[in-house]
Amino acid sequence: MSKILACCALFVTAVLCGLAPACAEPVKLRIGWVVAGADAPFQLFGPKGVATHENVTYTIEGTHFNGTPTMITALATGEIDLAPLAYSSFPLAVQNGHMDDLKVISDVFQDGVPGYYSNEFMVLKDGPIKTLQDLKGTVIASNGAGSAVDIAMRSML
């Protein structure tokens, strides 16, 4: 009888151990960003507790990029999991990078919305540049070919 009880106790213990929740490490979300305030506000500056499950079910690892086009390569090679692609980079990823399985999570940043702050371009008050025509013959640069800034600059010029 004691052997039967011992076997039953062992069986019950094995079943209960199998039902206990697994204590897995939190999933690491590797997120690319360009502009901290726009692309990763909570990741870099958010108060603790805003992301209630951070360090419980997931951790965040940010990677800085000069522009969103280089994030396409990082997504394709598995270096990052999430990327705030610009309007100019998203179609490049789908068409040229053949990433037809991309998912849009949210719209993080919009510019030129009436009643809200918009990007500004400034020049020195006493400098030689006053109009777009004054840029003729000067060298200008953008953060990366194919980025939203680059496309806007090319369109403007």
Side-chain angles (χ1 to χ4, degrees), residues 69-124:
T70 52
M71 289 186 198
I72 297 169
T73 305
L75 279 171
T77 59
E79 293 177 35
I80 60 174
D81 305 306
L82 298 166
L85 297 178
Y87 68 89
S88 56
S89 303
F90 184 79
L92 291 174
V94 173
Q95 227 174 14
N96 297 354
H98 305 289
M99 295 181 182
D100 54 2
D101 60 344
L102 290 177
K103 307 285 187 282
V104 175
I105 296 174
S106 70
D107 183 1
V108 178
F109 177 80
Q110 292 184 8
D111 190 30
V113 179
Y116 293 90
Y117 179 80
S118 187
N119 280 329
E120 297 177 76
F121 297 92
M122 299 177 209
V123 296
L124 294 172

Side-chain angles (χ1 to χ4, degrees), residues 3 32 39 58 82 103 114 130 136 155:
K3 283 186 180 184
D39 297 337
Y58 64 90
L82 298 166
K103 307 285 187 282
K130 302 288 186 226
K136 187 172 184 171
S155 175

